[in-house]
Amino acid sequence: QVQLVESGGGLVQPGGSLRLSCAISGIVSSRYVMGWYRQVPGKQRELVAGITRSGRTNYAESVKGRFTISRDNAKNTVYLQMNSLKPEDAAVYYCNAQSGIFDYWGQGTQVTVSS
């Protein structure tokens, strides 16, 4: 019943921007710490950005200053604004919701950064 559905991925040129969305259903997202992760083939999934229930954010050093995570609890939606995209940002991006024992994942959305 719980669903996290990412959208907004696609192909962009280096230096471009994308806004990813994570639509959440089946849970009250305000009760969860939310995060965006990314993964490339053959590599571990890594945390890109996280946001607490109170709105405090943290970022991977590689994206700090370029990416912004936000949440709209009334809409049960989490966003990742990605600016100044680099080829190394290309990955499948996953939305995550966690609280204690609970840990939910979306299906991922592909981000490609190429000239």
Side-chain angles (χ1 to χ4, degrees), residues 9-75:
L11 173 64
V12 295
Q13 302 293 314
S17 297
L18 283 174
R19 184 179 179 87
L20 306 184
S21 298
C22 175
I24 304 154
S25 61
I27 58 172
V28 178
S29 62
S30 62
R31 299 175 181 172
Y32 292 79
V33 176
M34 303 298 303
W36 286 97
Y37 293 72
R38 66 188 182 190
Q39 189 169 28
V40 298
K43 302 296 183 181
Q44 288 189 325
R45 191 171 298 185
E46 65 172 344
L47 176 67
V48 176
I51 184 166
T52 69
R53 291 171 292 176
S54 65
R56 189 175 72 250
T57 60
N58 67 285
Y59 300 91
E61 191 66 29
S62 60
V63 308
K64 193 172 297 183
R66 300 187 297 119
F67 290 12
T68 303
I69 187 172
S70 61
R71 66 194 303 165
D72 186 335
N73 291 331
K75 294 182 177 180

Side-chain angles (χ1 to χ4, degrees), residues 57-103:
T57 60
N58 67 285
Y59 300 91
E61 191 66 29
S62 60
V63 308
K64 193 172 297 183
R66 300 187 297 119
F67 290 12
T68 303
I69 187 172
S70 61
R71 66 194 303 165
D72 186 335
N73 291 331
K75 294 182 177 180
N76 267 5
T77 303
V78 180
Y79 304 96
L80 184 67
Q81 178 67 47
M82 304 186 295
N83 299 325
S84 302
L85 282 161
K86 305 175 179 179
E88 52 263 43
D89 295 318
V92 177
Y93 283 71
Y94 296 90
C95 183
N96 170 260
Q98 60 184 349
S99 181
I101 193 173
F102 304 105
D103 195 8

